[in-house]
Structures are given as structure tokens and as C-alpha cells.
Amino acid sequence: MLKLSRQPCYYIPMDKSKLNDEEIQLWYKWKGSFHSIFGRVIKEMSERTGLSEGDYGVLDRLDLLGNGCLRQQELAESMDWDKSRLSHHLTRMEKRSLVMRKPLDADRGVQVIITPIGKSALDDARPIVSMAIRKHFLDQLTDLDIESIMRLAERTKKGPSASSNPSKQ
């Protein structure tokens, strides 16, 4: 079991350009845990719905961020995908009638629209994803775990700053 020293690493004088063994273990456990949980959730969803992670991401964003439609550029930005990757993925989704693309008259943009088949697939997938998240993540947490994760997420989402150092609070 990984056990970090009682004092946080920032109290230990050291070369900040290197990670010590405990820090490396912590980093890989954190990454590995996320990837393992995420992978199990996506596997359950894919096996039960036939949707890929990308399919679900596109459909979910179209529904939540655009009420069923978004400009292709906005969709790419919301998914942190480049235009080419999204375009290829949308072509595959169009062949399965999950989405359709429509050129915008006003400019050179393209509107991506969720189809009734895509909306139905999304509606079918959401409870499966919710149950998988609950099973593989939420049900494993105590109230204290949840509070800690929420604090950590808030503190780290913006990146490092002097005010985010817990030793100064």
C-alpha cells in the first residue's frame, strides 16, 4: 500500500524538477485509477448500447450544450478534438444515422444535428452510463472521500497558484 510521508512533499527540501518515489507512485495510482474506472464505464456502455466513447460524447454535448444542435467548430472545442478528428467521427456517425450535418447559409460553418435515432440511442445510454458510474466509482466512496475529491478538483482545475498551496491556508 502506498503511504506518503506525514508531511506533504512541499515541506521536504528537494529538487522540484524531479519526483521522489512516493510522488511517482501517487501520480501513477491517480492516473491508473481514473483510467480503470473510466474504461469500465465505457466498456459497459459500449457493450450494452453499441455506442463508442466518442459517439456518446458527441451526442451528449449536442443535447446538453446545444439543445440538439451545435456548430461543428463549437462541438470540436467542447470535446477538445481537432477539426479533422471530429469530421471523420461525424462521417461514421452519419452513416449510422446518429447525426446529420447541414451547411449554414450565413457563413462557411456547419451545423451538427442529433437525429431521432441519435437521441434515442443517447436516452438509452444515459441510465447505463449513470449506473456504471455509480457502480464503479460513486458506490466506492465515503462522504469524506467525496468531500476530499471535490476540494481537490476545485483546487487543481485552474492550475497552480500561490493561493492553491494548502500549506498557506
Side-chain angles (χ1 to χ4, degrees):
M1 176 178 188
L2 173 68
K3 182 160 171 93
L4 292 176
S5 55
R6 292 205 176 264
Q7 288 186 321
C9 299
Y10 45 79
Y11 287 126
I12 302 169
M14 59 187 268
D15 180 355
K16 293 288 186 180
S17 68
K18 297 179 183 173
L19 298 177
N20 65 35
D21 289 344
E22 291 174 337
E23 292 168 326
I24 290 169
Q25 285 182 25
L26 175 64
W27 175 246
Y28 284 115
K29 283 197 179 290
W30 179 258
K31 268 183 28 174
S33 175
F34 167 77
H35 288 295
S36 175
I37 293 165
F38 190 77
R40 289 189 304 252
V41 169
I42 295 303
K43 184 176 187 278
E44 273 192 42
M45 179 200 65
S46 294
E47 286 175 352
R48 295 186 56 198
T49 68
L51 294 176
S52 69
E53 172 192 348
D55 296 340
Y56 184 84
V58 166
L59 296 172
D60 192 50
R61 282 169 180 81
L62 288 172
D63 187 52
L64 293 178
L65 302 178
N67 200 26
C69 62
L70 280 173
R71 293 175 58 97
Q72 189 165 322
Q73 182 61 39
E74 291 173 317
L75 181 58
E77 289 168 6
S78 76
M79 296 188 69
D80 199 23
W81 284 9
D82 64 49
K83 290 188 287 187
S84 176
R85 178 181 181 187
L86 180 62
S87 181
H88 288 292
H89 195 85
L90 291 174
T91 297
R92 291 188 297 274
M93 291 180 74
E94 279 182 306
K95 288 178 183 174
R96 293 167 36 227
S97 301
L98 297 170
V99 297
M100 58 184 267
R101 287 184 276 192
K102 180 178 132 188
L104 294 171
D105 296 331
D107 57 22
R108 297 184 323 150
V110 174
Q111 185 102 32
V112 182
I113 304 161
I114 193 169
T115 65
I117 292 171
K119 179 68 167 114
S120 178
L122 177 64
D123 291 343
D124 290 346
R126 280 188 169 146
I128 293 165
V129 170
S130 296
M131 289 186 301
I133 290 169
R134 186 166 309 287
K135 176 171 107 179
H136 297 296
F137 182 57
L138 297 175
D139 287 350
Q140 311 300 315
L141 303 176
T142 65
D143 290 343
L144 183 58
D145 292 335
I146 293 167
E147 289 174 25
S148 296
I149 291 168
M150 294 298 284
R151 279 196 311 273
L152 176 63
E154 280 299 314
R155 189 170 58 241
T156 59
K157 75 178 177 184
K158 296 181 187 115
S161 70
S163 64
S164 69
N165 187 338
S167 67
K168 297 184 181 188
Q169 294 177 353

